[in-house]
Amino acid sequence: MHTRPTTDPDAGAGTGRGTPLAARVTAWLNDPEDPYWSRPAPTAAQRRNDVLAALGFLLVALLASVLVHSYAGLAEGDEPWRLYLSTVLIVVPLALRRRYPLPVVVASSALFLGLTYASPTAAMTLPFQGAYFAALYAAVAWSRDRQALWVAMSVVVGTMGLWLLGAFTVTNAYADFLTGLGEVDGPLPQLPSYAVFTLLVNAVYFGGAVLAGRASWRAALQQHRLAAQAQRIREQSAEIARRAVVDERMRIARELHDVVAHHVSVIGIQAGAARKVLDRDPAAATTALRTIEVSSRTAVGEMRQLLGVLRAEGEEGAPGPGGGASAAARRPDPGLADIAALARRHADNGLAVDVRTVEAVPGDLDRIPPALGLSAFRCAQESLSNVIRHSTATAASVTLRTGRGPGGPWFELEVLDDGSPRRGTAGTGFGLQGLRERVRLHGGEAEIGPRSGRPGWRVRTRCPLPPGGSGGDAPDAAVGATSGATSSTTSGTTSGTTDRILRGSEA
């Protein structure tokens, strides 16, 4: 968590000239880039591990004390029970070192000073020194109140300095120790040399504990930053994915609007033609009315799909800007017949595309609804674009297939290539997500992934077809028979789709 002070934040940053020493040291103990971050308290598992670690360390320390007692004996005036009790007392506070770091370091400092006189033998053992080092390290690494830490460490270091100074001057403890060692013939005086050596050892001891604790604190801060950054990336990725779905749905909705508008236009033209020839040619009027019936049913079905898209969009979120682009400003929407031209454009970019058609019943592709034909074209367009961007393939195949099954007639689009993934070209996946959205809109299913048993990638979409087809040859022929003005309006549902696809692919 972050806690911001009510005063000027520059006062705690430790970078300005004239900043108090305490503030500068506090900022250094934290992190100059984020001096107000507070490390989270230890978890229940960490507190439990502290207790277990303290118990394990206590066993090791007692064993070390037994060994020292056995091979070196005790210092003058020391007793065994003092040795073992001192070892226990200096280790026990470590069980709470991360939960209460400041009280533990203060208590450990007091125990360190007192037990040094109570049991000089214990004070010289490595576990005794290591326990106090761990207390110092934990205080710097886990104390959440960094200003209180600065005060506590100042008191501890100052007390230890005064204690060492007193040992050298007031009590003459180290002078008596050196006297026991005897005279040494060295390049420097004996007592000043020992004083400098002791000062360096303590500087390394306390400085090492502080630096190690600060490194742990900054490592936790870096982990916090990485976790926050990862969370932001996940949220941004989710938002980008959501927006991609929304944009694709709005694009589909606009295209379906154009298709439905086409059917409505056909209905109006056919109704006018039927009215004009109703008295002179009843047969032509009947054909026009049949065309109106077919077109109206198709328009209603596709309008339901449009409303489904808009309803899903309302659940997902608001459309993005530019969602109301006018259909008049765009070219007529492509369909199955335009896949051949799409293949030729990709051939100009170095990808040879073989377009094939397989019809269960001749003329099935001519009866594909315009909305489904548009979605099939978009799926083929996205699939072939992915081959060029992300694959090493130089050839691909597009198969348009119809069939009959227990659930009724169906239409299938399959795009295959035999290339390997190109390194460093991983996409976002939004194009394939939009492809699935299109197929789901028509009640179909999509299979996208590597080909089984051989190299390459496979995209297969299958959508159900209306049992009676829609918008085929008969309606357009009727329009031509009743009124010559209808030919340009009904160009979206022309006949001979299969022949035009094959002729365009051969060209």
Side-chain angles (χ1 to χ4, degrees), residues 31-161:
D31 186 273
E33 298 179 2
D34 196 352
Y36 306 113
W37 179 76
S38 181
R39 186 171 187 172
T43 63
Q46 289 174 325
R47 295 195 297 267
R48 183 171 59 252
N49 292 336
D50 287 345
V51 175
L52 296 177
L55 290 176
F57 186 73
L58 178 59
L59 295 177
V60 174
L62 289 175
L63 177 59
S65 299
V66 171
L67 295 176
V68 169
H69 186 197
S70 300
Y71 78 80
L74 300 176
E76 183 179 356
D78 202 354
E79 297 181 7
W81 67 270
R82 292 183 181 180
L83 169 63
Y84 301 127
L85 179 60
S86 299
T87 302
V88 172
L89 291 178
I90 198 64
V91 173
V92 166
L94 296 181
L96 303 175
R97 67 184 185 277
R98 286 195 284 192
R99 191 172 186 179
Y100 305 108
L102 287 183
V104 166
V105 74
V106 172
S108 297
S109 299
L111 288 171
F112 185 86
L113 292 176
L115 296 177
T116 299
Y117 292 101
S119 176
T121 306
M124 299 301 295
T125 60
L126 185 61
F128 190 93
Q129 302 287 337
Y132 187 44
F133 184 92
L136 293 171
Y137 161 81
V140 179
W142 286 90
S143 177
R144 305 184 71 192
D145 190 344
R146 308 305 279 181
Q147 292 184 350
L149 170 66
W150 156 245
V151 174
M153 294 301 295
S154 300
V155 172
V156 168
V157 174
T159 302
M160 290 297 173

Side-chain angles (χ1 to χ4, degrees), residues 372 379 410-414 432 435-448 458-465:
L372 180 55
C379 292
W410 48 263
F411 166 71
E412 183 176 277
L413 168 72
E414 185 178 52
L432 296 180
L435 190 152
R436 291 189 176 94
E437 285 289 330
R438 288 183 177 275
V439 175
R440 192 180 301 117
L441 172 68
H442 296 283
E445 59 183 11
E447 296 180 7
I448 304 173
R458 177 174 183 252
V459 176
R460 186 188 70 85
T461 65
R462 176 177 290 190
C463 300
L465 290 176

Side-chain angles (χ1 to χ4, degrees), residues 115-283:
L115 296 177
T116 299
Y117 292 101
S119 176
T121 306
M124 299 301 295
T125 60
L126 185 61
F128 190 93
Q129 302 287 337
Y132 187 44
F133 184 92
L136 293 171
Y137 161 81
V140 179
W142 286 90
S143 177
R144 305 184 71 192
D145 190 344
R146 308 305 279 181
Q147 292 184 350
L149 170 66
W150 156 245
V151 174
M153 294 301 295
S154 300
V155 172
V156 168
V157 174
T159 302
M160 290 297 173
L162 292 176
W163 175 67
L164 289 175
L165 181 62
F168 276 106
T169 59
V170 178
T171 63
N172 293 322
Y174 286 109
D176 295 340
F177 172 73
L178 294 178
T179 301
L181 293 178
E183 292 292 335
V184 176
D185 185 14
L188 297 175
Q190 188 176 20
L191 183 59
S193 299
Y194 191 68
V196 172
F197 174 78
T198 304
L199 178 62
L200 292 177
V201 169
N202 282 272
V204 172
Y205 183 85
F206 287 95
V210 171
L211 292 177
R214 181 175 180 268
S216 176
W217 176 273
R218 296 194 64 180
L221 174 58
Q222 184 66 18
Q223 184 177 5
H224 165 77
R225 289 173 177 170
L226 292 176
Q229 183 180 12
Q231 179 63 26
R232 286 194 299 270
I233 291 174
R234 286 193 294 269
E235 293 174 354
Q236 292 172 359
S237 299
E239 177 63 18
I240 292 174
R242 189 190 69 83
R243 293 305 310 171
V245 172
V246 169
D247 294 342
E248 185 66 20
R249 287 179 176 177
M250 292 306 299
R251 179 183 178 186
I252 295 171
R254 290 194 299 268
E255 292 174 344
L256 282 177
H257 167 270
D258 296 343
V259 173
V260 173
H262 161 75
H263 288 295
V264 174
S265 300
V266 170
I267 291 173
I269 293 174
Q270 294 286 356
R275 179 179 57 80
K276 291 181 179 180
V277 300
L278 182 61
D279 297 331
R280 302 192 307 272
D281 192 350

